[in-house]
Amino acid sequence: QVHLVESGGGLVQTGGSLRLSCAASTRIFSILDMGWYRQAPGKSRELVAAITSTGATNYAGSVKGRFTISRDNAKNTVYLQMSSLKPEDTAVYYCNVNSPNFWPWGQGTQVTVSS
């Protein structure tokens, strides 16, 4: 069974930066399209950034220009560099495949942006 382990969250002030990491325990990581998702209290989980197996990226409008997704296939890891953080970015962040057939969700990592 695939395990996803997210890390790097924390408490930051508005305008601050964080770098999230997600390690995946799978041998086929390099051929997978991956995504970073977030879920704020009382809201549905949403896709905020995606990266294909070839490195093409796509972002939700609310984070475009502030977040950067990247991957290291040698480490089976996907990253999310977040800058110019806003209070509305506060959420639990998860990674998973960018596919209708999700893997079991990891525990996520909490990002809290104070105003």
Side-chain angles (χ1 to χ4, degrees), residues 38-44 87-92 110-111:
R38 69 184 180 188
Q39 187 166 20
K43 295 187 177 181
S44 300
E88 50 264 44
D89 295 318
T90 295
V92 180
Q110 176 72 48
V111 172

Side-chain angles (χ1 to χ4, degrees), residues 30-42:
S30 65
I31 66 171
L32 297 170
D33 297 342
M34 297 296 296
W36 277 99
Y37 303 77
R38 69 184 180 188
Q39 187 166 20

Side-chain angles (χ1 to χ4, degrees), residues 3-115:
H3 293 280
L4 299 165
V5 180
E6 299 92 349
S7 62
L11 172 64
V12 295
Q13 293 184 333
T14 296
S17 299
L18 283 173
R19 188 193 193 205
L20 307 183
S21 299
C22 172
S25 63
T26 174
R27 296 182 178 181
I28 62 169
F29 179 82
S30 65
I31 66 171
L32 297 170
D33 297 342
M34 297 296 296
W36 277 99
Y37 303 77
R38 69 184 180 188
Q39 187 166 20
K43 295 187 177 181
S44 300
R45 192 171 292 168
E46 62 172 343
L47 176 67
V48 296
I51 186 166
T52 68
S53 60
T54 57
T57 59
N58 197 19
Y59 300 92
S62 59
V63 307
K64 190 172 293 184
R66 300 187 298 119
F67 290 11
T68 302
I69 188 172
S70 61
R71 66 191 298 160
D72 185 338
N73 290 335
K75 296 182 178 179
N76 286 2
T77 299
V78 59
Y79 303 97
L80 187 67
Q81 178 68 48
M82 305 187 296
S83 303
S84 302
L85 283 161
K86 305 175 181 180
E88 50 264 44
D89 295 318
T90 295
V92 180
Y93 284 72
Y94 305 85
C95 73
N96 212 312
V97 291
N98 184 17
S99 162
N101 300 314
F102 293 119
W103 291 338
W105 294 92
Q107 83 287 350
T109 186
Q110 176 72 48
V111 172
T112 303
V113 185
S114 64
S115 57

